[in-house]
């Protein structure tokens, strides 16, 4: 079975933003280092991930990460030559 089309871009956790509500997770601000337009290099996600053992973990400021965009085969079209 073919893999879905995707792109993976290098990124860095720029800063961790504390939550105003202790019941809500903090936010990780991630800067895409290469492959994104300057105005759109920054994304923010909840800073709660799950490791291979099912344990909840958090990103550290300065961590090198990869941002992957994956799409179903049915949602792409060929590029004209």
């Amino acid at each position: 079975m073919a893999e879905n089309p995707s792109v993976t871009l290098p990124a860095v956790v720029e800063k961790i933003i504390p939550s105003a509500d202790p019941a809500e997770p903090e936010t990780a601000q991630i800067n895409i280092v290469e492959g994104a337009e300057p105005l759109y290099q920054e994304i923010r996600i909840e800073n709660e991930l799950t490791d291979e053992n099912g344990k909840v973990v958090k990103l550290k400021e300065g961590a090198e990460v990869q941002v992957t965009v994956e799409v179903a085969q049915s949602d792409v079209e060929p590029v004209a030559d």
Side-chain angles (χ1 to χ4, degrees), residues 22-24 43:
E24 296 293 321
I43 62 171

Side-chain angles (χ1 to χ4, degrees), residues 19-75:
S19 171
D21 180 354
E24 296 293 321
E26 61 193 16
T27 300
Q29 181 173 307
I30 299 172
N31 187 332
I32 299 172
V33 178
E34 183 181 310
E37 292 185 26
L39 186 60
Y40 303 103
Q41 289 177 327
E42 180 183 295
I43 62 171
R44 292 183 179 184
I45 63 169
E46 288 185 359
N47 193 14
E48 284 191 359
L49 292 82
T50 305
D51 70 10
E52 66 273 3
N53 299 315
K55 184 177 178 183
V56 176
V57 295
K58 302 188 307 184
L59 294 167
K60 293 181 183 179
E61 194 169 300
E64 294 182 9
V65 298
Q66 296 179 341
V67 175
T68 300
V69 176
E70 183 176 326
V71 62
Q73 195 71 37
S74 61
D75 291 328

